[in-house]
């Protein structure tokens, strides 16, 4: 037996079969392949914020003098600033290294290995990935055709489960959780994590309800509206006894000094950042209308900073051979990165993040160029 085989035989067996999280390709890799400068790439595959961080956050990063000191494990200043932002008090708030870390913490807090975690695909892949890392079962309750929850199936799946994840707006479909859906999930008594990573683009949040529902956990992030995806700063709001427990169970120094400084400065500069959000909401409308005008695309309404669209198939005769994957590959060859998912439910769809106006123009130009090439190819054959 080789050394490599013997060390793997000691790993927890469920990890050996883990499919792994499907990462997105870094833009530099595509740029190098195409012989382009990295900033020539139009990156619309990660729901990031094209306006970047607030200048106040960048100044705070360069002015902070405490990078040689460990961060505050109880996150006093940060929790105070976050609480002020969501209209609660700090005992309702815990911050993490991105909301991904908090998803992991919630799974480990509520689901023993072999317990079940419920989610509603198509949805954010991190819930099932991190439940899988923990050895938990994932019970996936598919959404209906309009991406709303199948409540009867959800409630049946909740029996015997330990934790529920529901994103609102949902990534990638863009629709919100409805009040009646949330109330039905909360009535199960299970911990229900409503992931509101995109709440600022929807202008709606359930955060205030954590005062009344001790099984509601609302997850938020500064990755999207505040343009801090690379610094990794997420937070959750929940009933104070749960927050107290999570503060004890998390890694003490989970939020680094840079992320803390940038987050506090961003929260103080929220009026400016919300102008970027407003620009992206306007651009979402323009992108949605432009996609809907393409004859072989069906764009779904979205409350997030992204739009899911279906590539209609079989396509009209003039555009033969066009499918969602070919479209994504062809757009990437033209320097425009959008997200294609390989799952059966989304195989014929693309998710396109909302960018600046010139990014919308580049998306439409790339789609038209790929379609024109396919027509030309079809005529030649
Ligand atoms: C629904 C949802 N939740 C959470 C995240 C991750 O947020 P963070 O960057 O805070 O880890 C994403 C990122 O795309 C997301 O789509």
């Amino acid at each position: 037996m080789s050394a490599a085989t013997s060390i793997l035989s000691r790993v927890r067996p469920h990890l050996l079969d883990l499919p792994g999280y499907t990462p997105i390709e870094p833009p530099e890799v595509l740029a190098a392949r195409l012989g382009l400068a990295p900033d020539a790439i139009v990156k619309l595959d990660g729901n990031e914020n094209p306006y970047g961080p607030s200048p106040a956050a960048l100044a705070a990063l360069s002015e902070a003098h405490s990078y040689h000191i460990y961060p505050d494990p109880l996150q006093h200043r940060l929790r105070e600033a976050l609480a002020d932002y969501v209209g609660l008090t700090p005992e309702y708030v815990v911050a993490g290294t991105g909301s991904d870390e908090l998803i992991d913490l919630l799974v480990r807090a509520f689901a023993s290995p072999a317990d079940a975690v419920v989610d509603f695909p198509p949805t954010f892949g991190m819930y099932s990935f991190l439940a899988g890392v923990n050895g938990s079962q994932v019970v996936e309750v598919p959404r209906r055709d309009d991406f709303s929850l199948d409540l009867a199936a959800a409630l049946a799946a909740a029996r015997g489960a330990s934790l529920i994840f529901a994103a609102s707006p949902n990534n990638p479909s863009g629709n919100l959780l409805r009040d009646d859906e949330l109330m039905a999930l909360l009535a199960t008594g299970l911990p229900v994590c409503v992931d509101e990573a995109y709440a600022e683009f929807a202008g709606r949040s359930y955060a205030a309800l954590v005062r009344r529902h001790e099984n509601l956990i609302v997850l938020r992030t500064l990755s999207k509206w505040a343009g801090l995806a690379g610094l990794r700063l997420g937070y959750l709001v929940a009933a104070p006894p749960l927050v107290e427990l999570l503060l004890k169970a998390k890694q003490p120094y989970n939020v680094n000094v840079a992320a803390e400084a940038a987050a506090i400065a961003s929260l103080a500069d929220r009026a400016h950042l919300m102008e970027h959000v407003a620009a992206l909401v306007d651009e979402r409308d323009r992108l949605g209308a432009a996609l809907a005008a393409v004859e072989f695309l069906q764009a779904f309404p979205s409350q997030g900073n992204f739009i899911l669209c279906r590539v209609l198939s079989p396509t009209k005769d003039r555009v033969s051979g066009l499918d969602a994957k070919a479209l994504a590959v062809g757009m990437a060859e033209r320097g425009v990165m959008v997200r294609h998912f390989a799952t059966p439910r989304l195989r014929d769809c693309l998710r396109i993040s909302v960018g600046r106006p010139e990014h919308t123009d580049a998306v439409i130009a790339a789609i038209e160029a790929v379609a024109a090439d396919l027509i030309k190819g079809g005529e030649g054959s």
Side-chain angles (χ1 to χ4, degrees), residues 21 46-47 97-101 103 123-124 126-127 167-171 195-198 219-224 228-229 232-235 306 351:
Y21 190 74
N47 298 346
T97 296
S99 26
D100 290 349
E101 187 207 4
I103 295 169
T123 193
F124 186 43
M126 206 59 77
Y127 317 130
S168 181
N170 184 49
N171 172 11
D195 182 346
E196 294 188 347
Y198 304 98
L219 194 58
R220 303 280 294 267
T221 181
L222 273 74
S223 292
K224 313 295 179 179
L228 293 184
R232 316 299 301 122
L233 199 295
Y235 60 103
F306 52 85
R351 190 198 65 197

